[in-house]
Amino acid sequence: MCWSLRFCWAFLAVYGADYIMNPNNRNGLSRLFYNPTARSLFFQALILGLLLYFVMTIVGNVMTNLNQRGISTGFGFLSQPAGFGISQTLIEYNETFTFGRTFFVGLLNTLLVSFLGVIAATFLGVVVGISRISPNWLLRKISMVYVEILRNIPLLLQIFFWYYVVLQTLPRPRDSLSFGESIFINIRGVFVPKPVPDAGFSFYIALLVAAVVAVVALTIWAKRRMRDTGQQFPVFWTSIAILFGTAVIGFFITGRPIMLDYPELRGLNFRGGITILPELIALWFALTIYTSTYIGEIVRSGIESVSHGQTEACRALGLNEGHRMKLVILPQAMRVMIPPMTSQYLNLTKNSSLATAIGYPDLVSVFAGTTLNQTGQAIEIISMTMLVYLTISLLVSAFMNWFNRRVALVER
Amino acid sequence: MKKIATLVGATVAIMATAGAHANTLETVKNRGAVQCGVSDGLPGFSATDSSGRWQGIDADVCRAVAAAVFGDAEKVNFVSLTATERFTALQSGEIDILSRNTTWTLTRDASLGLNFTGVNYYDGQGFLVSKDLGVDTAKELDGASVCIQSGTTTELNLADYFRVNGMSYEPVLYDTSDQTVGGFEAGRCDVLTSDQSQLYALRIQLSDPDSAVVLPEVISKEPLGPVVRQGDDAWFNVVKWSLYAMINAEEMGITTANAEEMKSSNDPGIQRFLGVSGNMGELLGVSNDWAFNISKQVGNYGEVFERTVGTGSPLNISRGLNALWSDGGLQYAPPVR
Ligand SMILES: N[C@@H](CCC(=O)N[C@@H](CS)C(=O)NCC(=O)O)C(=O)O
């Protein structure tokens, strides 16, 4: 009933427009519709109206259906205690915290694995891409085989491979592989010492900040000097020396302000230190390797897109290999590489939701999994989760667009 | 990813259909089969045997309903669901009955738009540990890694138990029981926790069942039973009374073997039950020989119990709480009258 009535309205609107636009019915109002701007405005308004109507219908349906079926609705559940544990939490959490908190715990875990994945996949991808066009035959073939094989094995299988075939065959806690009695590896993960700040820590941090400021100043100075006089300065190596030197010497003169909390086998498990979950490692490895094959191809095609004439010109100018890549080829290749690179980063982030398959506590597993199941608020939770992935994607592409504009060719 | 697909699909289904009409019994009769949600494979409760047939105490509840509605216990389509998928599948109408070792709790009853129709197995949560851990009681589990199936009451009870006892633990969550058992066997966790009956079921799935023991502690009440959508009383009644019919049949001593001859019994209660007299079936909206069909084709509660989880099965669980009330257990059905 309600349906057909609303449908009639939409029908009238469309039909009415048709009537008005028939030249035989022309009057003052209809002449307005012969004005292209007014007409296009009318149709845009109409489409918008229909869209709104569509959305309203859906929302209306959902509310009616949920009410009828006695399913509770609303976001009130977010402030209820969660009552379940989560194995990896970057912010403070235990089962007395709220369902709302589980959202953030899951979100941070998603961001962590995505961030680690993007960084590692980029490094590995660049190496693979450059090897693909290396003059060395063996390197070229190995990287080709790497790309062709790993790109064609489904990601989920690769995750299972790392998790079940590699990590689940590690020894149990009692027989852990131990490295210098401070790093331990077993089936429950990798256990490393945790740095804990001690007296003098803030002083040490101040020293490090000063070193970074010095390096920035040095870079600016060297650039100016180079522009004005043409003289070069080994900025890179000097910076490394300054940073490293401050870190080491500063550590001792501030009286060793960082202590290490070593992991130690107590009872059934290791306690203390930092635990890196095998679920995280498996997911991270799989995402990195899978995405690196695509990034490798993007890097290769980016470099190959720069015409050979540029290389020859560099040689003619007497630039060495390194300078040629850094100053001439890569800046031009970047322009071709950035847009497809963006979609790889987005893919990696979205693929990280395969975490559920091995129980890594990401947003989908914790929030759209356990929280959804314990509260039954499917619509609210799935909407929130989709919104998060949408937001992450939009933010990443906004950033990459900004970056793209920075490196884009400025046409004069 | 099947899980995400189910969830999103269900969400869309709820968005798109205006005003769901709630006559499941009619829908089921028109379809010609009951859609029954079961587990991914839990021996004794719902698991496929070597010929691909679903076996178990939960699967037989659905068969009983099919016997009542169609007079044919085989008119069931089984849909296997993980713990996280199950409620959404029922809410969205993908299944008519959820019979998947599901615990009856207040939250589920009151906020999911569902109704529990009874209890077909009284259970409680327990712990399975490997023998070489040398642990005799759950109180010694401080700091343990615990494998759990996600989306279960198990997850919540576990947190409560460790909290109350001032112990810490690392939860290791899996989606299916295969993965959970796999994680336990590989040593990813020290303990596997679940409903105790299921621990026996999972234990026989281990490559070496003798390497693991079930600890004595039972840390919760887990009444497991079939679930239907709320607000459809006719269907709710059919499912509820199909289960009660199995229990009543045991009380009356009606079995698969003797159902036929019991028809000529001169006990008016048995006559009413088997549809020889009265109109009990009609009142439920099914045929009058509904309870006869259940007893004949599926068997009474005791028979089903022994065949699926009891002494006639590899699980070898004793009746315990699940004995008839008259034998000191909790199984009790209102009279058919
Ligand atoms: N009774 C509990 C637990 C139910 C549950 O899912 N238990 C697991 C035991 S590990 C199971 O049945 N798994 C079988 C499967 O996933 O197929 C509940 O309702 O939340």
Side-chain angles (χ1 to χ4, degrees):
Chain A
M1 183 59 201
C2 176
W3 261 100
S4 54
L5 202 74
R6 288 198 219 168
F7 182 72
C8 272
W9 277 112
F11 184 74
L12 261 182
V14 175
Y15 215 75
D18 212 49
Y19 172 83
I20 290 168
M21 279 189 314
N22 184 336
N24 298 332
N25 306 320
R26 274 192 191 180
N27 56 30
L29 192 68
S30 76
R31 230 167 287 131
L32 191 61
F33 277 93
Y34 276 92
N35 175 339
T37 331
R39 195 163 57 193
S40 76
L41 268 180
F42 170 76
F43 278 108
Q44 286 181 28
L46 188 70
I47 298 281
L48 193 71
L50 283 177
L51 194 71
L52 273 179
Y53 164 70
F54 180 68
V55 171
M56 299 279 278
T57 314
I58 287 187
V59 172
N61 275 350
V62 169
M63 296 320 272
T64 327
N65 284 341
L66 293 183
N67 264 336
Q68 236 172 38
R69 297 181 188 186
I71 302 174
S72 45
T73 46
F75 289 91
F77 70 95
L78 289 175
S79 55
Q80 297 298 317
F84 61 88
I86 302 177
S87 56
Q88 175 187 295
T89 57
L90 298 181
I91 44 177
E92 200 195 342
Y93 173 85
N94 64 43
E95 55 279 359
T96 58
F97 282 66
T98 61
F99 284 121
R101 187 78 167 189
T102 65
F103 171 78
F104 291 106
V105 170
L107 177 59
L108 285 176
N109 286 343
T110 291
L111 292 179
L112 174 73
V113 74
S114 308
F115 176 75
L116 292 176
V118 163
I119 303 285
T122 309
F123 270 109
L124 196 58
V126 168
V127 171
V128 171
I130 293 181
S131 312
R132 285 278 271 141
I133 43 177
S134 141
N136 181 327
W137 183 87
L138 191 63
L139 205 55
R140 220 164 51 227
K141 288 297 162 202
I142 291 179
S143 53
M144 187 188 87
V145 170
Y146 173 88
V147 168
E148 289 309 333
I149 290 184
L150 291 168
R151 174 165 78 162
N152 291 313
I153 297 178
L155 178 56
L156 189 58
L157 281 186
Q158 299 199 27
I159 295 177
F160 283 157
F161 171 80
W162 287 106
Y163 191 59
Y164 289 110
V165 181
V166 179
L167 296 174
Q168 288 222 337
T169 47
L170 286 170
R172 310 213 168 188
R174 268 178 256 177
D175 318 305
S176 301
L177 310 172
S178 138
F179 298 90
E181 287 302 315
S182 52
I183 297 178
F184 301 90
I185 298 182
N186 62 43
I187 186 169
R188 311 266 165 90
V190 177
F191 299 79
V192 296
K194 176 165 142 193
V196 236
D198 203 8
F201 184 68
S202 41
F203 188 46
Y204 183 54
I205 291 291
L207 268 183
L208 288 183
V209 171
V212 172
V213 171
V215 165
V216 173
L218 179 76
T219 318
I220 297 175
W221 170 80
K223 261 212 178 118
R224 284 226 183 107
R225 195 174 76 135
M226 159 112 161
R227 195 185 55 207
D228 298 343
T229 68
Q231 280 171 302
Q232 294 199 354
F233 186 84
V235 180
F236 183 72
W237 293 113
T238 324
S239 307
I240 295 272
I242 292 179
L243 290 177
F244 194 70
T246 322
V248 173
I249 300 171
F251 183 73
F252 289 101
I253 56 173
T254 52
R256 306 183 185 208
I258 299 177
M259 291 214 316
L260 288 181
D261 172 22
Y262 289 97
E264 148 186 36
L265 184 61
R266 254 184 292 145
L268 303 170
N269 265 324
F270 278 87
R271 310 258 181 123
I274 297 176
T275 309
I276 307 168
L277 292 182
E279 289 81 19
L280 172 63
I281 299 175
L283 188 63
W284 180 41
F285 277 16
L287 285 173
T288 299
I289 290 175
Y290 183 72
T291 314
S292 76
T293 59
Y294 289 91
I295 292 184
E297 288 299 276
I298 292 171
V299 170
R300 178 184 63 82
S301 62
I303 293 176
E304 282 179 345
S305 76
V306 179
S307 83
H308 195 59
Q310 303 272 338
T311 310
E312 283 163 358
C314 289
R315 293 213 179 110
L317 286 173
L319 288 184
N320 67 24
E321 279 288 296
H323 278 140
R324 173 161 67 84
M325 264 293 169
K326 191 174 142 224
L327 299 174
V328 179
I329 309 289
L330 278 183
Q332 300 185 72
M334 282 290 238
R335 296 191 186 112
V336 184
M337 280 155 50
I338 286 176
M341 210 74 135
T342 314
S343 36
Q344 287 313 317
Y345 291 165
L346 295 181
N347 278 348
L348 189 145
T349 311
K350 287 179 281 184
N351 285 341
S352 74
S353 62
L354 286 172
T356 352
I358 51 169
Y360 172 74
D362 80 325
L363 184 67
V364 172
S365 157
V366 169
F367 192 64
T370 304
T371 300
L372 191 160
N373 207 254
Q374 300 298 1
T375 61
Q377 314 271 275
I379 305 229
E380 292 83 351
I381 289 179
I382 293 289
S383 315
M384 277 174 80
T385 311
M386 295 205 299
L387 210 65
V388 164
Y389 282 95
L390 184 66
T391 313
I392 296 180
S393 297
L394 291 179
L395 285 179
V396 171
S397 41
F399 172 78
M400 291 304 274
N401 283 342
W402 167 82
F403 191 56
N404 195 21
R405 244 175 282 124
R406 255 185 64 111
V407 298
L409 199 64
V410 187
E411 296 191 26
R412 274 175 271 227
Chain B
M1 285 305 91
K2 180 185 147 218
K3 179 172 112 193
I4 305 291
T6 314
L7 290 177
V8 173
T11 311
V12 170
I14 288 181
M15 286 179 183
T17 52
H21 36 93
N23 194 341
T24 313
L25 181 56
E26 211 48 51
T27 318
V28 168
K29 280 184 178 165
N30 289 338
R31 190 193 301 119
V34 178
Q35 293 284 115
C36 171
V38 289
S39 76
D40 268 343
L42 189 66
F45 286 81
S46 46
T48 46
D49 63 15
S50 52
S51 61
R53 186 183 149 85
W54 283 93
Q55 300 286 10
I57 194 166
D58 283 345
D60 281 350
V61 167
C62 289
R63 292 213 171 86
V65 174
V69 176
F70 299 110
D72 180 354
E74 293 312 309
K75 293 201 165 153
V76 184
N77 297 329
F78 290 100
V79 179
S80 74
L81 299 166
T82 66
T84 26
E85 290 164 347
R86 57 187 157 170
F87 299 119
T88 329
L90 182 60
Q91 288 167 338
S92 66
E94 190 185 339
I95 53 175
D96 306 314
I97 311 174
L98 175 68
S99 184
R100 189 203 172 283
N101 45 80
T102 298
T103 306
W104 187 346
T105 68
L106 187 145
T107 315
R108 290 173 176 178
D109 215 350
S111 74
L112 298 183
L114 307 175
N115 273 340
F116 283 79
T117 63
V119 177
N120 71 332
Y121 193 100
Y122 288 95
D123 212 335
Q125 184 173 337
F127 298 100
L128 182 73
V129 299
S130 82
K131 263 190 192 141
D132 58 12
L133 211 58
V135 168
D136 309 311
T137 136
K139 297 262 157 53
E140 296 170 40
L141 291 177
D142 191 15
S145 301
V146 187
C147 283
I148 334 165
Q149 195 158 336
S150 73
T152 55
T153 46
T154 319
E155 243 183 303
L156 306 178
N157 298 329
L158 180 72
D160 285 356
Y161 182 78
F162 274 76
R163 194 166 184 79
V164 165
N165 288 292
M167 305 190 295
S168 67
Y169 71 100
E170 179 204 19
V172 183
L173 283 189
Y174 293 105
D175 244 5
T176 66
S177 59
D178 282 347
Q179 286 178 324
T180 319
V181 173
F184 176 71
E185 269 195 289
R188 175 65 187 89
C189 47
D190 304 297
V191 193
L192 192 162
T193 180
S194 169
D195 298 345
Q196 213 170 36
S197 65
Q198 294 156 31
L199 292 180
Y200 291 104
L202 298 178
R203 186 167 161 265
I204 58 173
Q205 286 183 327
L206 296 179
S207 47
D208 177 15
D210 286 329
S211 65
V213 281
V214 175
L215 295 180
E217 280 89 351
V218 175
I219 66 166
S220 69
K221 291 189 285 188
E222 308 287 333
L224 311 179
V227 198
V228 296
R229 276 181 296 279
Q230 187 173 307
D232 185 351
D233 293 352
W235 182 244
F236 176 62
N237 284 341
V238 170
V239 176
K240 179 169 59 181
W241 281 95
S242 298
L243 176 59
Y244 286 156
M246 293 165 77
I247 300 171
N248 275 318
E250 184 178 9
E251 283 183 25
M252 296 176 185
I254 303 170
T255 63
T256 310
N258 71 8
E260 201 71 58
E261 62 197 71
M262 280 298 221
K263 267 186 164 171
S264 47
S265 154
N266 48 17
D267 178 338
I270 293 181
Q271 285 185 354
R272 223 177 9 251
F273 184 75
L274 293 177
V276 181
S277 66
N279 63 344
M280 296 296 138
E282 266 168 42
L283 297 179
L284 285 176
V286 296
S287 70
N288 272 333
D289 56 359
W290 64 290
F292 168 76
N293 290 330
I294 293 177
S295 319
K296 172 92 186 136
Q297 298 178 19
V298 186
N300 70 37
Y301 181 79
E303 287 181 281
V304 170
F305 189 98
E306 295 304 347
R307 180 172 72 220
T308 54
V309 293
T311 41
S313 78
L315 272 71
N316 208 2
I317 301 176
S318 65
R319 285 291 289 269
L321 289 178
N322 293 296
L324 288 183
W325 60 285
S326 44
D327 299 334
L330 294 176
Q331 290 295 357
Y332 181 103
V336 174
R337 144 172 314 280

